[in-house]
Amino acid sequence: MLELTMAAVSAAETGATAGMLMADAPSEPGAVLRVGRDKSVCRLSTPDDWLFVSRVHLEFQCLQDGTWQLTWLRGSLSEPSSEVRLTVGEYAHPVAYGGTVALPRGGSGEVVIQDRTAARSVNVGFYHEV
């Protein structure tokens, strides 16, 4: 099972946890959880006017062996309006635009979508239960 929690944070709300959204999916091959502005496709949706987040920005997908991977999907722009980083333990790693990274099996961490032009972010915590 992969569990996600998401909070949209602006400069005025730094440290706030109110309004967190949650989603989960079983660790079955082909299971998918998406994060973005499009509520019809994404289990976790950001505010409509947060244009630094694509319609479908992040995709968490379960592979054949039950592990999960994260993909930062390429949007319609050649250069993104945000940066994405994955933090596991003490280590933060940037995720490439259009790139895919493996999530630790049985681990937890956070994926942050940071607006390049304003002090706001989308923070997605994850926990992979084995």
Side-chain angles (χ1 to χ4, degrees):
M1 167 100 41
L2 183 70
E3 299 173 350
L4 301 178
T5 56
M6 184 190 84
V9 181
S10 66
E13 301 165 334
T14 300
T17 56
M20 289 185 101
L21 302 174
M22 301 177 82
D24 61 34
S27 292
E28 297 173 354
V32 174
L33 291 168
R34 293 183 184 96
V35 177
R37 292 189 338 263
D38 188 339
K39 292 171 181 50
S40 69
V41 180
C42 300
R43 292 275 305 274
L44 295 174
S45 301
T46 62
D48 291 334
D49 61 343
W50 283 30
L51 300 180
F52 70 98
V53 177
S54 300
R55 189 179 69 77
V56 182
H57 202 89
L58 301 176
E59 182 175 85
F60 295 83
Q61 182 178 25
C62 186
L63 304 177
Q64 290 297 323
D65 63 358
T67 61
W68 286 83
Q69 68 180 18
L70 164 69
T71 301
W72 178 6
L73 300 170
R74 290 188 70 87
S76 57
L77 302 175
S78 60
E79 288 295 318
S81 302
S82 62
E83 296 174 353
V84 175
R85 70 181 175 276
L86 170 67
T87 302
V88 177
E90 300 174 11
Y91 302 100
H93 307 279
V95 178
Y97 186 42
T100 299
V101 295
L103 298 180
R105 185 178 196 93
S108 63
E110 182 176 51
V111 181
V112 177
I113 305 169
Q114 182 68 52
D115 188 345
R116 287 185 168 173
T117 62
R120 56 188 179 173
S121 65
V122 176
N123 300 6
V124 180
F126 67 88
Y127 173 69
H128 182 205
E129 180 181 303
V130 223

